[in-house]
Amino acid sequence: MKVNEHPRKTIKKVCSFMIFSCFCFREVRLRSHFARKIQKLNDRINGIVSEKNTFDFKLSEGETKRPEHKITVSVIDATEIKGRETDKGKIVKMLVSESSDQEPAPRTISLVGMGGIGKTTLAQLVYNDHEVGTYFGKRIWVCVSDPFDEIRIANAILEALVGSAQDLIELQALLERIQELVSGKRFLLVLDDVWNEDSTKWEQLKNSLKRGCLPGSRFLVTTRKREVANCMGSSSTDILELGLLSPDECWSLFSQLAFFEKNSRDRDLEETGRKIAERCKGLPLAAKTLGSLLRFKRSRAEWESVLNNHVWEIEEAESKLLAPLWLSYHDLPTEMRPCFLYCAVFPRDYTFKRDTLIKLWMAQGFLRETQNQEMEATGGECFEALAARSFFQDFEKDEHDGRIIQLKEITEQKPTPVYRLPKPIYSIQYQPY
Ligand SMILES: Nc1ncnc2c1ncn2[C@@H]1O[C@H](COP(=O)(O)OP(=O)(O)OP(=O)(O)O)[C@@H](O)[C@H]1O
Ligand SMILES: [Mg+2]
């Protein structure tokens, strides 16, 4: 200390040195405390990683890759089609029925049903019908698919009207051209495989098509979802819900393929074949897939194996039969997926009662309460939405308010143990085969 230095100043210096060193010590202690904490966390994370590795989890391809939509065309070999005479008659009648001059827009008729039930096939039958061909001055087939791309659809319509590809990129120019070309014509426009529920996307196209066209023009839509039919403008009387094939029709379709070029010796496979056809439960896609698969199998053991296995266990059938059905699952909003998957733990012929199922979803924590809506209401919406997306085939409605009160799965097979469900998806539990 210097002689002339003020003693108070010295004290202050000593104090501030002490504070500084205390602070330093505290900081060091804190740092080492955090270092230990980070070390502990790292150890925990390493533990979790090594535990995860013991389960050998793999990212399933199916989870990330969206299944592809099939491209459809209007061509069909009508001789291969089983049944559907009544449905075809109904649709043709709706299409060619007299229409008033005051009709606000072409009527929209929709074919609704689950994947693989034969909506596109029926639309093709109708499109190629002689009466339809002569009634409409112009017939146009567009495979819409998902997403609903207005420019692509408008270009497809234009190409059909002109007879060659135009490849315009401005919607405005496309719509003006379409409007000119349909003017004074009576047309039938088939929109196959529609998923879009945003009516504004369709409105613009619809407006340009309806302007100037002759009364009696029609839209024919195929979709898996009833909401889509409503959004495209179909009134409830203009919606045809497609049913399954009868057992005889289903057998006829299956056997035509499975016994193709087989001789009378192979006829002893018939008994097993009939049981397999029964398992298809009238779904044409299933009858066609399994029939084609058995066409090249000649031994009884091979046929028995198809009969006794789940479809997802038969490699050749899986891609043809399950891939199209995957689309419906992928289209479900994320929050509805657990509700749907949960149903998979019930036996196949189980009848789902609306209120009970909603309570079970609530107990599982699948439903959320929002500020404006109680859980039960959210569950009710989910139930209706599953029913309207053709996941189930059999409904029972309330006599008074028309509300769907129960859904019934139509197959009679025994329940599948959860551990035997297919890895990527359980939805096939709800498909009738
Ligand atoms: N009545 C029928 N007779 C013979 N085969 C049929 C019949 N209905 C459908 N099929 C065949 O079953 C398969 C599925 O039919 P289709 O593609 O028409 O179903 P979809 O309801 O349009 O399905 P998606 O919802 O996937 O578009 C096709 O291979 C079709 O040829
Ligand atoms: Mg289709």
Side-chain angles (χ1 to χ4, degrees):
M1 190 196 300
K2 285 182 191 159
V3 181
N4 60 350
E5 245 182 7
H6 196 282
R8 278 185 83 177
K9 213 176 175 184
T10 318
I11 290 167
K12 207 177 165 194
K13 262 192 181 171
V14 172
C15 279
S16 62
F17 169 75
M18 279 172 66
I19 291 168
F20 175 72
S21 33
C22 280
F23 182 71
C24 253
F25 283 134
R26 251 189 70 202
E27 199 181 343
V28 170
R29 260 200 17 237
L30 266 177
R31 280 190 186 185
S32 90
H33 174 71
F34 281 126
R36 277 202 305 278
K37 272 203 149 177
I38 291 169
Q39 184 59 46
K40 266 191 188 166
L41 274 175
N42 280 341
D43 291 347
R44 265 184 71 190
I45 291 169
N46 287 339
I48 293 168
V49 170
S50 59
E51 202 175 329
K52 184 208 91 176
N53 290 341
T54 58
F55 288 109
D56 196 24
F57 289 132
K58 284 195 182 80
L59 195 64
S60 159
E61 264 208 3
E63 291 294 336
T64 50
K65 225 170 105 187
R66 211 183 148 81
E68 278 177 23
H69 288 256
K70 213 173 112 188
I71 297 168
T72 64
V73 291
S74 64
V75 185
I76 192 172
D77 181 354
T79 58
E80 288 180 1
I81 305 307
K82 311 290 169 200
R84 300 295 185 216
E85 294 87 3
T86 317
D87 290 327
K88 184 186 158 197
K90 256 192 227 166
I91 300 294
V92 170
K93 204 167 156 200
M94 282 165 139
L95 292 177
V96 304
S97 63
E98 279 304 310
S99 51
S100 70
D101 288 350
Q102 280 84 46
E103 222 176 47
R107 234 169 110 185
T108 307
I109 291 144
S110 293
L111 307 177
V112 179
M114 66 184 292
I117 204 161
K119 303 177 292 295
T120 302
T121 307
L122 179 56
Q124 288 165 327
L125 278 177
V126 166
Y127 186 94
N128 292 292
D129 177 78
H130 180 70
E131 196 180 349
V132 170
T134 48
Y135 183 79
F136 292 99
K138 190 76 206 169
R139 286 169 301 152
I140 308 162
W141 180 281
V142 179
C143 175
V144 176
S145 193
D146 195 30
F148 191 94
D149 180 345
E150 295 116 300
I151 306 266
R152 188 184 64 76
I153 297 166
N155 262 310
I157 295 172
L158 192 56
E159 187 174 338
L161 289 167
V162 180
S164 61
Q166 304 292 298
D167 287 334
L168 297 183
I169 48 169
E170 282 299 329
L171 189 59
Q172 175 67 26
L174 274 162
L175 297 185
E176 278 172 10
R177 193 84 185 90
I178 289 174
Q179 203 172 310
E180 273 168 38
L181 290 163
V182 294
S183 168
K185 288 199 177 76
R186 180 159 58 201
F187 68 83
L188 166 68
L189 170 60
V190 177
L191 296 158
D192 187 37
D193 195 26
V194 185
W195 294 74
N196 165 57
E197 289 180 54
D198 175 2
S199 57
T200 54
K201 287 192 170 183
W202 166 232
E203 276 319 312
Q204 302 190 78
L205 252 170
K206 190 175 180 174
N207 285 340
S208 54
L209 281 160
K210 78 179 185 192
R211 254 180 238 146
C213 73
L214 286 185
S217 294
R218 298 276 185 264
F219 300 119
L220 179 61
V221 171
T222 82
T223 179
R224 292 187 189 182
K225 302 191 280 183
R226 213 184 152 90
E227 286 100 332
V228 170
N230 296 331
C231 149
M232 295 296 285
S234 285
S235 59
S236 54
T237 49
D238 283 343
I239 296 178
L240 180 86
E241 302 225 4
L242 227 60
L244 297 158
L245 295 182
S246 72
D248 283 347
E249 289 160 353
C250 189
W251 165 247
S252 170
L253 173 57
F254 170 85
S255 58
Q256 174 181 292
L257 295 157
F259 290 99
F260 184 78
E261 286 185 349
K262 286 197 171 68
N263 53 37
S264 53
R265 253 186 328 121
D266 298 317
R267 280 282 150 189
D268 64 346
L269 296 171
E270 185 170 329
E271 198 191 326
T272 318
R274 283 201 180 264
K275 286 184 194 154
I276 297 172
E278 254 172 54
R279 272 188 56 187
C280 298
K281 294 285 169 191
L283 186 72
L285 177 66
K288 201 167 172 178
T289 308
L290 295 183
S292 312
L293 172 72
L294 291 166
R295 182 172 167 173
F296 304 105
K297 299 192 191 291
R298 292 208 127 77
S299 79
R300 176 180 281 274
E302 285 173 310
W303 281 54
E304 294 280 341
S305 159
V306 170
L307 176 65
N308 297 325
N309 276 317
H310 286 291
V311 161
W312 60 85
E313 289 163 344
I314 309 165
E315 207 178 309
E316 303 108 298
E318 193 194 352
S319 60
K320 291 212 179 70
L321 188 45
L322 295 194
L325 303 176
W326 256 94
L327 289 167
S328 293
Y329 177 76
H330 266 264
D331 186 63
L332 272 184
T334 324
E335 64 280 7
M336 272 169 64
R337 291 184 185 183
C339 297
F340 173 62
L341 293 180
Y342 177 72
C343 302
V345 298
F346 291 90
R348 282 196 156 211
D349 56 350
Y350 192 80
T351 301
F352 295 97
K353 293 221 165 48
R354 186 181 193 278
D355 296 342
T356 317
L357 188 60
I358 292 170
K359 284 204 178 81
L360 288 167
W361 286 338
M362 283 164 65
Q364 295 291 332
F366 296 152
L367 302 176
R368 271 199 213 132
E369 197 167 48
T370 62
Q371 256 184 346
N372 309 321
Q373 188 154 284
E374 288 186 351
M375 256 190 237
E376 281 91 343
T378 315
E381 282 177 8
C382 183
F383 187 88
E384 304 290 336
L386 287 178
R389 280 163 186 263
S390 315
F391 276 112
F392 300 83
Q393 280 293 301
D394 208 4
F395 306 96
E396 195 182 302
K397 291 190 176 177
D398 188 285
E399 275 177 22
H400 305 293
D401 59 11
R403 207 173 56 145
I404 295 170
I405 45 170
Q406 58 184 41
L407 300 168
K408 192 161 186 249
E409 218 286 306
I410 56 166
T411 50
E412 295 109 34
Q413 293 207 352
K414 291 193 177 64
T416 305
V418 176
Y419 64 87
R420 290 206 64 204
L421 289 170
K423 273 172 273 150
I425 187 176
Y426 309 85
S427 65
I428 46 174
Q429 281 282 300
Y430 299 94
Q431 311 304 343
Y433 51 80

